[in-house]
Each structure stands twice: as C-alpha cells, then as structure tokens.
Amino acid sequence: MQKIPLPRFQFEQIGIIHSCYRQKFGIPRQPGIVKAAEAELELLSPYNQENLVRGLDVFSHIWVHFIFHKTMEEGWRATVRPPRLGGRERKGVFATRSTHRPNPVGTSVVELRGIRTGNGKMVLKLGAVDLLDGTPVIDIKPYLPYADALPEASGGFAPSPVTLFDVRFSDQAMARCAAYEQVTGRQLVQLIKEVLGQDPRPAYLRETTHRRHGTALWDINVVWESHGTYFLVTDLERLP
Ligand code: SAH
C-alpha cells in the first residue's frame, strides 16, 4: 500500500508543564505512581483564554498530549528494553511507552485539580504527572470514564503497578526535609519516598549497593544509596 501524500504535520505548542522533575532520572514511568508530584500546565498565548477551557473544570481527569522534547533529538529505536522486564528483553517500540518513538509524542492521564486565572495567566492545576519541568504540551482532552476506563482490558507484560521499595532517611536528611517542608509547604518526604520507592535506577545498576545516587526534585538534590532491600537517603543538597 502506498503512502498517501499529506501536507507535513506541524503542531502548535499550546502549553508548558511546570513540575518538580528537573532531570529524567527519578521521573516515574507513568503518571499517578507518585501521588505527591503535583504540577501545573500553563496555557500559552493565544491559547490562554477562558473560552478554550470552558466546561473543562467539571472533569476530574484529562489526557495531556506532549512532546518528549528532551530525548527527541536522539531519534527513535525499533526495539527497546522495557524497565518493567528488568532490561533483559527487547520489545517493539509500539509495544512500549518508550520516549524514543518515530514521532516523539507522549500521552498521560492526569488529575485536574482546578483552573486558575489571573495576571494574564491561565493555569491548570494537575495531580501526579510523569513529565519533566518545561515539557511542551500540544493538546488537552477530557478523560471520559465511560469510554476510556476499561476494567476488563489486559495489561500485557505490565499487568499491575510495580511494588515500592522501602525508603529510609538518615537523621540529617530527615531534619533537612522537615526544614524544607516548613519553608515551602511542599511534601518533600512523601515525594522522595514515592519517587525513590519505584526504583528509578536503570536496569544495569539494579544489582549495585552502596553506590551514591543523586535525584533532583524541585531545587534539591536528594542523595541516596541502595542497601539491597531498602534505600537510604543520606543527605539533601541545595541546587543552584
Ligand atoms: N505517560 C506517557 C509517558 C511515559 S514515558 C506515555 O505513556 O506516553 C515516561 C518517561 O518519560 C518519564 O519516566 C521520563 O523519563 C520521560 N519524560 C518525561 N517528560 C519528558 C520530556 N519532556 N522529554 C523527554 N522525556 C521525558
């Protein structure tokens, strides 16, 4: 079958994500896993008008379509090793949620907590996301449970959520978290537990212990190490 000639597609960026994730290391592999990771979607001009979101506020969740802008220049791969399979098996890109796709488009279902306007800004308050800070958004649609929620669907090789690791804190790290939470009002302890709990290590580092890892959340570098059955947060460092 021949390709039908089409005009080249071009998408408009309609919004930008503001989230706690400043680097890919540590971002959950799907939204909803890290509940403490709330975020914002700021609509950009000329799409920052109330007209465009009229009626959206009565939906509890939305589909967010976005561009994997930080990996798109690396191109795509026909097969990838899903972290879910421990990096041991290859699957076709279209059988996975890999970021390295022929078209670098991602899709996430996220909770819509509210819509805020003011100062010429139009901001959707979101629940848990799996998106880098600065991610360009190309579309938003309401999530329709009657059509989109399919309880009988089969989850293939990712049938259920991953089990979370136990995350512990040194006294010093816990004290720093408490101080940070007091100043910012952010739930840092919970965020760290959920982010590290899902084991952000790439498959080839899964067997290592006592290796120092750093995970950036908001303006903090969380320093931690694996102790086999649990992870220990040893320190927090302020990022510039
Ligand atoms: N829910 C989406 C995304 C799954 S991939 C989908 O299924 O299409 C999720 C991973 O994308 C995250 O773990 C993070 O490593 C990566 N990611 C998030 N935002 C990104 C961005 N702007 N550019 C490149 N990679 C990104």
Side-chain angles (χ1 to χ4, degrees), residues 186-218:
R186 291 172 177 155
Q187 291 180 281
L188 188 62
V189 172
Q190 188 58 24
L191 182 62
I192 292 173
K193 280 189 177 167
E194 292 181 332
V195 165
L196 300 189
Q198 30 116 32
D199 194 357
R201 293 173 299 170
Y204 72 95
L205 288 178
R206 292 258 166 97
E207 305 308 320
T208 61
T209 53
H210 294 82
R211 185 194 161 105
R212 188 181 186 273
H213 299 280
T215 302
L217 294 171
W218 299 116

PDB file of all heavy atoms in Angstrom, residues 186-218:
ATOM      1  N   ARG A 186       5.866  22.251  50.662  1.00  0.00           N
ATOM      2  CA  ARG A 186       5.850  21.071  49.779  1.00  0.00           C
ATOM      3  C   ARG A 186       6.059  19.802  50.592  1.00  0.00           C
ATOM      4  O   ARG A 186       6.839  19.798  51.538  1.00  0.00           O
ATOM      5  CB  ARG A 186       6.988  21.173  48.760  1.00  0.00           C
ATOM      6  CG  ARG A 186       6.750  22.264  47.755  1.00  0.00           C
ATOM      7  CD  ARG A 186       7.978  22.465  46.879  1.00  0.00           C
ATOM      8  NE  ARG A 186       7.728  23.476  45.868  1.00  0.00           N
ATOM      9  CZ  ARG A 186       8.671  24.211  45.287  1.00  0.00           C
ATOM     10  NH1 ARG A 186       9.930  24.041  45.617  1.00  0.00           N
ATOM     11  NH2 ARG A 186       8.347  25.096  44.385  1.00  0.00           N
ATOM     12  N   GLN A 187       5.383  18.723  50.186  1.00  0.00           N
ATOM     13  CA  GLN A 187       5.502  17.439  50.898  1.00  0.00           C
ATOM     14  C   GLN A 187       6.728  16.693  50.408  1.00  0.00           C
ATOM     15  O   GLN A 187       6.613  15.704  49.681  1.00  0.00           O
ATOM     16  CB  GLN A 187       4.305  16.563  50.566  1.00  0.00           C
ATOM     17  CG  GLN A 187       2.981  17.001  51.102  1.00  0.00           C
ATOM     18  CD  GLN A 187       1.955  15.978  50.628  1.00  0.00           C
ATOM     19  OE1 GLN A 187       1.523  16.016  49.481  1.00  0.00           O
ATOM     20  NE2 GLN A 187       1.588  15.043  51.482  1.00  0.00           N
ATOM     21  N   LEU A 188       7.906  17.138  50.831  1.00  0.00           N
ATOM     22  CA  LEU A 188       9.134  16.566  50.267  1.00  0.00           C
ATOM     23  C   LEU A 188       9.373  15.114  50.701  1.00  0.00           C
ATOM     24  O   LEU A 188       9.784  14.279  49.886  1.00  0.00           O
ATOM     25  CB  LEU A 188      10.329  17.452  50.638  1.00  0.00           C
ATOM     26  CG  LEU A 188      11.636  17.092  49.959  1.00  0.00           C
ATOM     27  CD1 LEU A 188      11.539  17.231  48.444  1.00  0.00           C
ATOM     28  CD2 LEU A 188      12.787  17.937  50.480  1.00  0.00           C
ATOM     29  N   VAL A 189       9.105  14.794  51.951  1.00  0.00           N
ATOM     30  CA  VAL A 189       9.365  13.424  52.435  1.00  0.00           C
ATOM     31  C   VAL A 189       8.534  12.425  51.627  1.00  0.00           C
ATOM     32  O   VAL A 189       9.042  11.420  51.122  1.00  0.00           O
ATOM     33  CB  VAL A 189       9.031  13.296  53.948  1.00  0.00           C
ATOM     34  CG1 VAL A 189       9.118  11.844  54.390  1.00  0.00           C
ATOM     35  CG2 VAL A 189       9.982  14.162  54.766  1.00  0.00           C
ATOM     36  N   GLN A 190       7.253  12.748  51.493  1.00  0.00           N
ATOM     37  CA  GLN A 190       6.352  11.866  50.753  1.00  0.00           C
ATOM     38  C   GLN A 190       6.815  11.741  49.291  1.00  0.00           C
ATOM     39  O   GLN A 190       6.841  10.645  48.716  1.00  0.00           O
ATOM     40  CB  GLN A 190       4.926  12.443  50.835  1.00  0.00           C
ATOM     41  CG  GLN A 190       3.844  11.541  50.287  1.00  0.00           C
ATOM     42  CD  GLN A 190       3.799  10.192  50.976  1.00  0.00           C
ATOM     43  OE1 GLN A 190       4.242  10.047  52.117  1.00  0.00           O
ATOM     44  NE2 GLN A 190       3.300   9.195  50.276  1.00  0.00           N
ATOM     45  N   LEU A 191       7.184  12.887  48.713  1.00  0.00           N
ATOM     46  CA  LEU A 191       7.636  12.890  47.313  1.00  0.00           C
ATOM     47  C   LEU A 191       8.875  11.996  47.149  1.00  0.00           C
ATOM     48  O   LEU A 191       8.940  11.166  46.236  1.00  0.00           O
ATOM     49  CB  LEU A 191       7.947  14.334  46.874  1.00  0.00           C
ATOM     50  CG  LEU A 191       8.382  14.528  45.427  1.00  0.00           C
ATOM     51  CD1 LEU A 191       7.286  14.104  44.454  1.00  0.00           C
ATOM     52  CD2 LEU A 191       8.765  15.987  45.162  1.00  0.00           C
ATOM     53  N   ILE A 192       9.839  12.150  48.058  1.00  0.00           N
ATOM     54  CA  ILE A 192      11.065  11.346  47.970  1.00  0.00           C
ATOM     55  C   ILE A 192      10.739   9.858  48.118  1.00  0.00           C
ATOM     56  O   ILE A 192      11.241   9.011  47.369  1.00  0.00           O
ATOM     57  CB  ILE A 192      12.088  11.786  49.055  1.00  0.00           C
ATOM     58  CG1 ILE A 192      12.597  13.196  48.755  1.00  0.00           C
ATOM     59  CG2 ILE A 192      13.244  10.798  49.134  1.00  0.00           C
ATOM     60  CD1 ILE A 192      13.483  13.789  49.840  1.00  0.00           C
ATOM     61  N   LYS A 193       9.855   9.541  49.097  1.00  0.00           N
ATOM     62  CA  LYS A 193       9.502   8.128  49.314  1.00  0.00           C
ATOM     63  C   LYS A 193       8.893   7.525  48.062  1.00  0.00           C
ATOM     64  O   LYS A 193       9.196   6.392  47.685  1.00  0.00           O
ATOM     65  CB  LYS A 193       8.502   8.007  50.461  1.00  0.00           C
ATOM     66  CG  LYS A 193       9.141   8.086  51.816  1.00  0.00           C
ATOM     67  CD  LYS A 193       8.108   7.746  52.880  1.00  0.00           C
ATOM     68  CE  LYS A 193       8.766   7.749  54.243  1.00  0.00           C
ATOM     69  NZ  LYS A 193       7.791   7.740  55.319  1.00  0.00           N
ATOM     70  N   GLU A 194       8.031   8.264  47.412  1.00  0.00           N
ATOM     71  CA  GLU A 194       7.352   7.722  46.236  1.00  0.00           C
ATOM     72  C   GLU A 194       8.275   7.665  45.018  1.00  0.00           C
ATOM     73  O   GLU A 194       8.251   6.700  44.259  1.00  0.00           O
ATOM     74  CB  GLU A 194       6.106   8.547  45.920  1.00  0.00           C
ATOM     75  CG  GLU A 194       5.032   8.397  46.981  1.00  0.00           C
ATOM     76  CD  GLU A 194       3.777   9.193  46.687  1.00  0.00           C
ATOM     77  OE1 GLU A 194       3.854  10.238  46.008  1.00  0.00           O
ATOM     78  OE2 GLU A 194       2.711   8.781  47.141  1.00  0.00           O
ATOM     79  N   VAL A 195       9.097   8.710  44.855  1.00  0.00           N
ATOM     80  CA  VAL A 195       9.981   8.745  43.681  1.00  0.00           C
ATOM     81  C   VAL A 195      11.047   7.646  43.780  1.00  0.00           C
ATOM     82  O   VAL A 195      11.266   6.884  42.839  1.00  0.00           O
ATOM     83  CB  VAL A 195      10.645  10.134  43.530  1.00  0.00           C
ATOM     84  CG1 VAL A 195      11.812  10.076  42.557  1.00  0.00           C
ATOM     85  CG2 VAL A 195       9.625  11.154  43.062  1.00  0.00           C
ATOM     86  N   LEU A 196      11.709   7.555  44.938  1.00  0.00           N
ATOM     87  CA  LEU A 196      12.761   6.546  45.074  1.00  0.00           C
ATOM     88  C   LEU A 196      12.162   5.148  45.215  1.00  0.00           C
ATOM     89  O   LEU A 196      12.740   4.164  44.756  1.00  0.00           O
ATOM     90  CB  LEU A 196      13.656   6.857  46.274  1.00  0.00           C
ATOM     91  CG  LEU A 196      14.393   8.196  46.243  1.00  0.00           C
ATOM     92  CD1 LEU A 196      15.395   8.262  47.389  1.00  0.00           C
ATOM     93  CD2 LEU A 196      15.099   8.432  44.916  1.00  0.00           C
ATOM     94  N   GLY A 197      10.977   5.071  45.845  1.00  0.00           N
ATOM     95  CA  GLY A 197      10.338   3.782  46.097  1.00  0.00           C
ATOM     96  C   GLY A 197      10.106   2.981  44.829  1.00  0.00           C
ATOM     97  O   GLY A 197      10.129   1.750  44.840  1.00  0.00           O
ATOM     98  N   GLN A 198       9.880   3.672  43.711  1.00  0.00           N
ATOM     99  CA  GLN A 198       9.629   2.916  42.483  1.00  0.00           C
ATOM    100  C   GLN A 198      10.940   2.520  41.779  1.00  0.00           C
ATOM    101  O   GLN A 198      10.918   2.027  40.653  1.00  0.00           O
ATOM    102  CB  GLN A 198       8.695   3.689  41.543  1.00  0.00           C
ATOM    103  CG  GLN A 198       8.767   5.190  41.622  1.00  0.00           C
ATOM    104  CD  GLN A 198       9.257   5.842  40.358  1.00  0.00           C
ATOM    105  OE1 GLN A 198       9.024   5.354  39.278  1.00  0.00           O
ATOM    106  NE2 GLN A 198       9.947   6.973  40.487  1.00  0.00           N
ATOM    107  N   ASP A 199      12.047   2.712  42.447  1.00  0.00           N
ATOM    108  CA  ASP A 199      13.371   2.320  41.959  1.00  0.00           C
ATOM    109  C   ASP A 199      13.709   2.932  40.602  1.00  0.00           C
ATOM    110  O   ASP A 199      13.561   2.294  39.554  1.00  0.00           O
ATOM    111  CB  ASP A 199      13.518   0.798  41.876  1.00  0.00           C
ATOM    112  CG  ASP A 199      14.978   0.398  41.708  1.00  0.00           C
ATOM    113  OD1 ASP A 199      15.837   1.304  41.594  1.00  0.00           O
ATOM    114  OD2 ASP A 199      15.263  -0.811  41.676  1.00  0.00           O
ATOM    115  N   PRO A 200      14.198   4.176  40.630  1.00  0.00           N
ATOM    116  CA  PRO A 200      14.495   4.854  39.369  1.00  0.00           C
ATOM    117  C   PRO A 200      15.771   4.372  38.683  1.00  0.00           C
ATOM    118  O   PRO A 200      16.078   4.811  37.584  1.00  0.00           O
ATOM    119  CB  PRO A 200      14.645   6.329  39.797  1.00  0.00           C
ATOM    120  CG  PRO A 200      15.028   6.291  41.232  1.00  0.00           C
ATOM    121  CD  PRO A 200      14.440   5.031  41.808  1.00  0.00           C
ATOM    122  N   ARG A 201      16.494   3.443  39.315  1.00  0.00           N
ATOM    123  CA  ARG A 201      17.774   3.043  38.721  1.00  0.00           C
ATOM    124  C   ARG A 201      17.577   2.325  37.402  1.00  0.00           C
ATOM    125  O   ARG A 201      16.689   1.469  37.280  1.00  0.00           O
ATOM    126  CB  ARG A 201      18.520   2.094  39.677  1.00  0.00           C
ATOM    127  CG  ARG A 201      18.967   2.736  40.952  1.00  0.00           C
ATOM    128  CD  ARG A 201      19.537   1.714  41.891  1.00  0.00           C
ATOM    129  NE  ARG A 201      18.560   0.699  42.251  1.00  0.00           N
ATOM    130  CZ  ARG A 201      18.835  -0.411  42.903  1.00  0.00           C
ATOM    131  NH1 ARG A 201      20.068  -0.677  43.242  1.00  0.00           N
ATOM    132  NH2 ARG A 201      17.885  -1.275  43.203  1.00  0.00           N
ATOM    133  N   PRO A 202      18.419   2.643  36.416  1.00  0.00           N
ATOM    134  CA  PRO A 202      18.361   1.875  35.179  1.00  0.00           C
ATOM    135  C   PRO A 202      18.723   0.418  35.479  1.00  0.00           C
ATOM    136  O   PRO A 202      19.413   0.138  36.461  1.00  0.00           O
ATOM    137  CB  PRO A 202      19.414   2.531  34.277  1.00  0.00           C
ATOM    138  CG  PRO A 202      20.268   3.360  35.168  1.00  0.00           C
ATOM    139  CD  PRO A 202      19.474   3.670  36.411  1.00  0.00           C
ATOM    140  N   ALA A 203      18.227  -0.492  34.637  1.00  0.00           N
ATOM    141  CA  ALA A 203      18.380  -1.928  34.903  1.00  0.00           C
ATOM    142  C   ALA A 203      19.838  -2.315  35.205  1.00  0.00           C
ATOM    143  O   ALA A 203      20.086  -3.128  36.092  1.00  0.00           O
ATOM    144  CB  ALA A 203      17.846  -2.717  33.720  1.00  0.00           C
ATOM    145  N   TYR A 204      20.818  -1.712  34.501  1.00  0.00           N
ATOM    146  CA  TYR A 204      22.200  -2.164  34.676  1.00  0.00           C
ATOM    147  C   TYR A 204      22.786  -1.761  36.032  1.00  0.00           C
ATOM    148  O   TYR A 204      23.844  -2.244  36.405  1.00  0.00           O
ATOM    149  CB  TYR A 204      23.077  -1.669  33.515  1.00  0.00           C
ATOM    150  CG  TYR A 204      23.372  -0.187  33.525  1.00  0.00           C
ATOM    151  CD1 TYR A 204      24.545   0.312  34.101  1.00  0.00           C
ATOM    152  CD2 TYR A 204      22.486   0.720  32.964  1.00  0.00           C
ATOM    153  CE1 TYR A 204      24.821   1.665  34.117  1.00  0.00           C
ATOM    154  CE2 TYR A 204      22.750   2.079  32.980  1.00  0.00           C
ATOM    155  CZ  TYR A 204      23.914   2.547  33.565  1.00  0.00           C
ATOM    156  OH  TYR A 204      24.176   3.894  33.589  1.00  0.00           O
ATOM    157  N   LEU A 205      22.097  -0.895  36.776  1.00  0.00           N
ATOM    158  CA  LEU A 205      22.586  -0.515  38.105  1.00  0.00           C
ATOM    159  C   LEU A 205      21.787  -1.153  39.227  1.00  0.00           C
ATOM    160  O   LEU A 205      22.033  -0.925  40.406  1.00  0.00           O
ATOM    161  CB  LEU A 205      22.533   1.018  38.268  1.00  0.00           C
ATOM    162  CG  LEU A 205      23.560   1.824  37.482  1.00  0.00           C
ATOM    163  CD1 LEU A 205      23.350   3.314  37.716  1.00  0.00           C
ATOM    164  CD2 LEU A 205      24.987   1.436  37.893  1.00  0.00           C
ATOM    165  N   ARG A 206      20.834  -2.005  38.866  1.00  0.00           N
ATOM    166  CA  ARG A 206      19.922  -2.568  39.868  1.00  0.00           C
ATOM    167  C   ARG A 206      20.619  -3.473  40.880  1.00  0.00           C
ATOM    168  O   ARG A 206      20.156  -3.625  41.999  1.00  0.00           O
ATOM    169  CB  ARG A 206      18.807  -3.362  39.178  1.00  0.00           C
ATOM    170  CG  ARG A 206      17.857  -2.508  38.383  1.00  0.00           C
ATOM    171  CD  ARG A 206      16.559  -2.276  39.101  1.00  0.00           C
ATOM    172  NE  ARG A 206      15.807  -1.190  38.460  1.00  0.00           N
ATOM    173  CZ  ARG A 206      14.848  -1.373  37.575  1.00  0.00           C
ATOM    174  NH1 ARG A 206      14.500  -2.591  37.259  1.00  0.00           N
ATOM    175  NH2 ARG A 206      14.228  -0.341  37.033  1.00  0.00           N
ATOM    176  N   GLU A 207      21.709  -4.106  40.448  1.00  0.00           N
ATOM    177  CA  GLU A 207      22.382  -5.062  41.350  1.00  0.00           C
ATOM    178  C   GLU A 207      23.369  -4.375  42.283  1.00  0.00           C
ATOM    179  O   GLU A 207      23.910  -5.005  43.182  1.00  0.00           O
ATOM    180  CB  GLU A 207      23.113  -6.139  40.537  1.00  0.00           C
ATOM    181  CG  GLU A 207      22.244  -6.903  39.528  1.00  0.00           C
ATOM    182  CD  GLU A 207      20.983  -7.487  40.157  1.00  0.00           C
ATOM    183  OE1 GLU A 207      21.064  -7.980  41.297  1.00  0.00           O
ATOM    184  OE2 GLU A 207      19.927  -7.424  39.514  1.00  0.00           O
ATOM    185  N   THR A 208      23.655  -3.104  42.080  1.00  0.00           N
ATOM    186  CA  THR A 208      24.694  -2.445  42.870  1.00  0.00           C
ATOM    187  C   THR A 208      24.166  -2.044  44.248  1.00  0.00           C
ATOM    188  O   THR A 208      22.980  -1.788  44.418  1.00  0.00           O
ATOM    189  CB  THR A 208      25.197  -1.168  42.171  1.00  0.00           C
ATOM    190  OG1 THR A 208      24.087  -0.270  42.047  1.00  0.00           O
ATOM    191  CG2 THR A 208      25.764  -1.463  40.810  1.00  0.00           C
ATOM    192  N   THR A 209      25.059  -1.999  45.226  1.00  0.00           N
ATOM    193  CA  THR A 209      24.679  -1.461  46.541  1.00  0.00           C
ATOM    194  C   THR A 209      25.714  -0.426  46.961  1.00  0.00           C
ATOM    195  O   THR A 209      26.846  -0.410  46.461  1.00  0.00           O
ATOM    196  CB  THR A 209      24.622  -2.551  47.643  1.00  0.00           C
ATOM    197  OG1 THR A 209      25.853  -3.242  47.630  1.00  0.00           O
ATOM    198  CG2 THR A 209      23.472  -3.509  47.435  1.00  0.00           C
ATOM    199  N   HIS A 210      25.308   0.440  47.867  1.00  0.00           N
ATOM    200  CA  HIS A 210      26.169   1.482  48.436  1.00  0.00           C
ATOM    201  C   HIS A 210      26.744   2.435  47.398  1.00  0.00           C
ATOM    202  O   HIS A 210      27.713   3.117  47.647  1.00  0.00           O
ATOM    203  CB  HIS A 210      27.295   0.872  49.281  1.00  0.00           C
ATOM    204  CG  HIS A 210      26.766   0.195  50.505  1.00  0.00           C
ATOM    205  ND1 HIS A 210      26.258  -1.082  50.475  1.00  0.00           N
ATOM    206  CD2 HIS A 210      26.604   0.626  51.775  1.00  0.00           C
ATOM    207  CE1 HIS A 210      25.831  -1.406  51.693  1.00  0.00           C
ATOM    208  NE2 HIS A 210      26.018  -0.386  52.489  1.00  0.00           N
ATOM    209  N   ARG A 211      26.173   2.468  46.228  1.00  0.00           N
ATOM    210  CA  ARG A 211      26.602   3.419  45.224  1.00  0.00           C
ATOM    211  C   ARG A 211      25.812   4.695  45.449  1.00  0.00           C
ATOM    212  O   ARG A 211      24.627   4.659  45.705  1.00  0.00           O
ATOM    213  CB  ARG A 211      26.274   2.844  43.846  1.00  0.00           C
ATOM    214  CG  ARG A 211      26.772   3.665  42.705  1.00  0.00           C
ATOM    215  CD  ARG A 211      26.101   3.187  41.411  1.00  0.00           C
ATOM    216  NE  ARG A 211      26.216   4.212  40.411  1.00  0.00           N
ATOM    217  CZ  ARG A 211      27.053   4.151  39.397  1.00  0.00           C
ATOM    218  NH1 ARG A 211      27.797   3.099  39.229  1.00  0.00           N
ATOM    219  NH2 ARG A 211      27.127   5.147  38.544  1.00  0.00           N
ATOM    220  N   ARG A 212      26.493   5.839  45.330  1.00  0.00           N
ATOM    221  CA  ARG A 212      25.833   7.116  45.606  1.00  0.00           C
ATOM    222  C   ARG A 212      25.010   7.543  44.399  1.00  0.00           C
ATOM    223  O   ARG A 212      25.515   7.568  43.277  1.00  0.00           O
ATOM    224  CB  ARG A 212      26.924   8.147  45.892  1.00  0.00           C
ATOM    225  CG  ARG A 212      26.439   9.486  46.395  1.00  0.00           C
ATOM    226  CD  ARG A 212      27.665  10.392  46.607  1.00  0.00           C
ATOM    227  NE  ARG A 212      27.325  11.663  47.220  1.00  0.00           N
ATOM    228  CZ  ARG A 212      26.949  12.738  46.547  1.00  0.00           C
ATOM    229  NH1 ARG A 212      26.831  12.695  45.233  1.00  0.00           N
ATOM    230  NH2 ARG A 212      26.693  13.872  47.186  1.00  0.00           N
ATOM    231  N   HIS A 213      23.730   7.841  44.631  1.00  0.00           N
ATOM    232  CA  HIS A 213      22.876   8.353  43.567  1.00  0.00           C
ATOM    233  C   HIS A 213      22.400   9.748  43.928  1.00  0.00           C
ATOM    234  O   HIS A 213      22.269  10.083  45.108  1.00  0.00           O
ATOM    235  CB  HIS A 213      21.632   7.469  43.386  1.00  0.00           C
ATOM    236  CG  HIS A 213      21.924   6.067  43.005  1.00  0.00           C
ATOM    237  ND1 HIS A 213      22.219   5.694  41.717  1.00  0.00           N
ATOM    238  CD2 HIS A 213      21.973   4.932  43.742  1.00  0.00           C
ATOM    239  CE1 HIS A 213      22.428   4.390  41.680  1.00  0.00           C
ATOM    240  NE2 HIS A 213      22.290   3.908  42.892  1.00  0.00           N
ATOM    241  N   GLY A 214      22.121  10.561  42.929  1.00  0.00           N
ATOM    242  CA  GLY A 214      21.545  11.881  43.173  1.00  0.00           C
ATOM    243  C   GLY A 214      20.298  12.042  42.324  1.00  0.00           C
ATOM    244  O   GLY A 214      20.306  11.722  41.137  1.00  0.00           O
ATOM    245  N   THR A 215      19.210  12.465  42.939  1.00  0.00           N
ATOM    246  CA  THR A 215      17.963  12.672  42.211  1.00  0.00           C
ATOM    247  C   THR A 215      17.468  14.082  42.488  1.00  0.00           C
ATOM    248  O   THR A 215      17.270  14.456  43.647  1.00  0.00           O
ATOM    249  CB  THR A 215      16.896  11.655  42.673  1.00  0.00           C
ATOM    250  OG1 THR A 215      17.405  10.346  42.473  1.00  0.00           O
ATOM    251  CG2 THR A 215      15.606  11.815  41.881  1.00  0.00           C
ATOM    252  N   ALA A 216      17.283  14.871  41.426  1.00  0.00           N
ATOM    253  CA  ALA A 216      16.864  16.270  41.601  1.00  0.00           C
ATOM    254  C   ALA A 216      15.346  16.363  41.692  1.00  0.00           C
ATOM    255  O   ALA A 216      14.635  15.860  40.820  1.00  0.00           O
ATOM    256  CB  ALA A 216      17.378  17.110  40.440  1.00  0.00           C
ATOM    257  N   LEU A 217      14.864  16.988  42.768  1.00  0.00           N
ATOM    258  CA  LEU A 217      13.433  17.255  42.927  1.00  0.00           C
ATOM    259  C   LEU A 217      13.293  18.708  43.363  1.00  0.00           C
ATOM    260  O   LEU A 217      13.936  19.128  44.325  1.00  0.00           O
ATOM    261  CB  LEU A 217      12.824  16.338  43.984  1.00  0.00           C
ATOM    262  CG  LEU A 217      12.805  14.855  43.634  1.00  0.00           C
ATOM    263  CD1 LEU A 217      12.384  14.025  44.839  1.00  0.00           C
ATOM    264  CD2 LEU A 217      11.853  14.598  42.469  1.00  0.00           C
ATOM    265  N   TRP A 218      12.460  19.454  42.671  1.00  0.00           N
ATOM    266  CA  TRP A 218      12.395  20.902  42.886  1.00  0.00           C
ATOM    267  C   TRP A 218      13.815  21.461  42.827  1.00  0.00           C
ATOM    268  O   TRP A 218      14.534  21.163  41.871  1.00  0.00           O
ATOM    269  CB  TRP A 218      11.690  21.236  44.209  1.00  0.00           C
ATOM    270  CG  TRP A 218      10.267  20.759  44.313  1.00  0.00           C
ATOM    271  CD1 TRP A 218       9.768  19.835  45.195  1.00  0.00           C
ATOM    272  CD2 TRP A 218       9.135  21.160  43.514  1.00  0.00           C
ATOM    273  NE1 TRP A 218       8.424  19.660  45.001  1.00  0.00           N
ATOM    274  CE2 TRP A 218       8.005  20.464  43.982  1.00  0.00           C
ATOM    275  CE3 TRP A 218       8.960  22.063  42.455  1.00  0.00           C
ATOM    276  CZ2 TRP A 218       6.733  20.620  43.432  1.00  0.00           C
ATOM    277  CZ3 TRP A 218       7.697  22.219  41.914  1.00  0.00           C
ATOM    278  CH2 TRP A 218       6.613  21.508  42.397  1.00  0.00           C
TER     279      TRP A 218
END
